[in-house]
Amino acid sequence: MLGGSPSDPQTGVFAWLDMDSAVDWVILQEFMKNVDAYYLSVHLSRDEGEAMRLTPWDLDLSMGYPYYDCGATGWIPGYPLVDVMGQLPEFREAFARRWAELRAGPLAESAILG
């Protein structure tokens, strides 16, 4: 998935990985500020004949876990898979669309504060 041509539809990252699940997974990890999200909490699942899906897993070190600097701002520090996905225009566009959709609904400030 991280080979020489990550955007190649036959061999690149999204030839193997479901983009919608990747977008939702990155949004969840970033929103929760899951400090081990990209290092210790990567969980993949796959139905036969389908692309792999990133699935939520192990969120115990998130949302202010007291033994880490959870007050940090910005993105969680890089992870090769997330970095590669973030370089692909189709991922960035899907991410922006999904973020706008979620911010207008379940992740709207009023919904979160409520």
Side-chain angles (χ1 to χ4, degrees):
M1 290 194 309
L2 301 177
S5 299
S7 63
D8 186 304
Q10 301 299 314
T11 61
V13 66
F14 293 113
W16 310 103
L17 183 63
D18 175 75
M19 186 181 308
D20 291 339
S21 75
V23 165
D24 282 349
W25 184 77
V26 171
I27 288 173
L28 174 67
Q29 303 307 332
E30 294 293 336
F31 179 77
M32 299 285 288
K33 288 296 184 206
N34 187 8
V35 297
D36 70 350
Y38 303 142
Y39 302 97
L40 301 173
S41 297
V42 177
H43 187 265
L44 295 164
S45 64
R46 184 178 74 86
D47 291 329
E48 188 173 341
E50 300 290 328
M52 292 182 288
R53 298 178 61 80
L54 284 160
T55 56
W57 180 263
D58 188 23
L59 293 164
D60 65 328
L61 299 180
S62 63
M63 295 191 78
Y65 186 72
Y67 300 110
Y68 291 91
D69 179 14
C70 295
T73 59
W75 296 89
I76 297 170
Y79 176 70
L81 177 59
V82 176
D83 291 344
V84 165
M85 290 187 305
Q87 293 172 14
L88 303 174
E90 60 269 28
F91 179 82
R92 289 194 308 266
E93 291 166 12
F95 188 96
R97 278 192 310 274
R98 182 67 168 144
W99 179 247
E101 175 187 341
L102 291 170
R103 287 295 284 170
L107 295 184
E109 185 174 344
S110 59
I112 293 167
L113 295 176

